[in-house]
Amino acid sequence: MTEQSAVETEVVVQDRADLAEGVVGLTLRAADGGALPSWRPGAHVDLLLPDGLERQYSLCGDPADERTWRLGVLKEGPGSTFVHERVHLGDRLVARGPRNHFALEDAPGYLFLAGGIGITPILPMVAAAHAAGADWRLLYGGRRRTAMAFLGDLSLYGDRVDVRPQDEFGLLDLDAALPGLAPGTLVYCCGPEPMLAAVEERCAPGALRTERFAAKPVTGPDEAFEVELTLSGRTLKVGSGRSILETVEEAGVAVLSSCREGTCGTCETAVLGGEPDHRDSVLTEAERADGGFMMICVSRARGPRLTLEL
């Protein structure tokens, strides 16, 4: 089971700064002045914005700092545009989480690959790997240097960090970076979908961990099936073209959800029977094979029936 939290915290914008072209940094503190929920590298929070939008942003500060959360927000889409244009110092927001489907696992070595704003979850991972004395390196790409956030933070690590703006070096040379990794090395990658797909093609099975900001393209049958809800004592039919999430919500069953496209992990649900047809962009291959949990906003059934803990 992946780490998750439904805790909602009222936060105040303590600091706001331009980190790079199109990227603003927010530092948040608890509105009551207390400690914020703890987190580990790879975690994100959902910002519940006043216009009704919910958006997920990776925590990129220091997990040991219990008083503040640090976010980096790329201006891309309505949610982040709201943050850039209408969120100011002293404003109060509601954050849900933290939640972590991209947790840093113990390993003797790491290759971190970041594209653009994908550096945000990677930044605390680099700090943790460095503090642990692990063998690590980071390959960080972006369209141009002026649009790449946190370069000052990363300069502290010297030549372990390879910054490769596309306008200076072209696309990241994954064919040079991925072969020949030492046994046990884990690859953590976050960035745009073309980069993630290219890394998946080249990476050894079991070594790769990814986080997506947009849903991975999926295809598959769209046949109707039944879901038995053990906590509600009901059995519902999920029709063709309808998701499990939509079906249970229409039946009055409350389920926590956010992105509705299989990227955030908020709707993760325990599977007690049947075989899920996983179509999310969150679970690892090992978690999919285990079949104990599924994202009901996009995933379906490989068979006529699923039994869920709802």
Side-chain angles (χ1 to χ4, degrees):
M1 179 179 180
T2 43
E3 174 188 316
Q4 58 180 328
S5 172
V7 174
E8 292 187 0
T9 305
E10 186 177 23
V11 295
V12 176
V13 180
Q14 177 177 296
D15 189 34
R16 174 189 165 108
D18 292 327
L19 303 180
E21 290 177 7
V23 181
V24 67
L26 299 181
T27 301
L28 309 176
R29 62 173 175 83
D32 63 6
L36 291 164
S38 62
W39 60 283
R40 296 183 298 162
H44 70 266
V45 293
D46 304 336
L47 282 190
L48 313 185
L49 301 172
D51 62 353
L53 291 173
E54 297 182 17
R55 291 294 183 269
Q56 294 74 46
Y57 298 109
S58 297
L59 292 167
C60 53
D62 180 1
D65 181 357
E66 299 179 347
R67 297 291 171 176
T68 62
W69 285 338
R70 187 186 188 194
L71 309 178
V73 181
L74 173 67
K75 189 175 183 180
E76 183 180 56
S80 60
T81 297
F82 185 99
V83 171
H84 274 250
E85 298 180 355
R86 298 177 60 185
V87 173
H88 307 288
L89 286 177
D91 284 357
R92 293 191 173 214
L93 302 169
V94 175
R96 182 191 298 133
R99 180 175 293 106
N100 200 338
H101 292 273
F102 193 46
L104 184 67
E105 302 171 26
D106 291 335
Y110 303 94
L111 172 61
F112 299 111
L113 301 171
I117 198 62
I119 190 61
T120 50
I122 298 294
L123 195 65
M125 292 185 177
V126 164
H130 193 74
D135 182 19
W136 67 271
R137 56 192 176 98
L138 165 65
L139 184 58
Y140 178 20
R143 291 180 180 175
R144 54 192 173 276
R145 194 175 296 269
T146 54
M148 298 172 71
F150 304 113
L151 293 181
D153 300 67
L154 293 169
S155 66
L156 302 174
Y157 300 112
D159 60 7
R160 288 195 181 208
V161 176
D162 191 1
V163 176
R164 293 270 161 172
Q166 185 176 343
D167 63 347
E168 298 176 29
F169 299 97
L171 295 175
L172 295 181
D173 189 353
L174 300 176
D175 290 323
L178 289 167
L181 296 178
T185 299
L186 294 181
V187 179
Y188 279 81
C189 180
C190 186
E193 181 57 36
M195 173 186 174
L196 293 171
V199 173
E200 287 176 334
E201 289 178 358
R202 293 163 172 79
C203 205
L208 179 61
R209 308 288 184 269
T210 62
E211 182 166 70
R212 284 177 158 82
F213 295 133
K216 182 179 181 179
V218 292
T219 57
D222 195 28
E223 298 174 0
F225 57 95
E226 291 184 341
V227 287
E228 178 187 356
L229 311 181
T230 60
L231 300 182
S232 305
R234 305 181 64 178
T235 298
L236 305 174
K237 182 177 180 180
V238 180
S240 176
R242 304 294 290 169
S243 71
I244 300 174
L245 177 61
E246 291 169 332
T247 302
V248 299
E249 286 180 333
E250 288 174 357
V253 178
V255 181
L256 196 64
S257 65
S258 183
C259 74
R260 295 178 175 264
E261 59 180 20
T263 60
C264 75
T266 307
C267 68
E268 181 180 76
T269 300
V271 179
L272 305 180
E275 183 181 359
D277 179 7
H278 295 292
R279 303 184 183 188
D280 64 275
S281 302
V282 176
L283 297 176
T284 66
E285 289 304 317
E287 289 168 335
R288 291 182 177 215
D290 177 76
F293 295 87
M294 68 184 298
M295 307 304 156
I296 62 172
C297 63
V298 292
S299 297
R300 301 184 68 79
R302 292 186 184 276
R305 190 181 182 95
L306 286 173
T307 302
L308 303 179
E309 192 176 39
L310 285 175

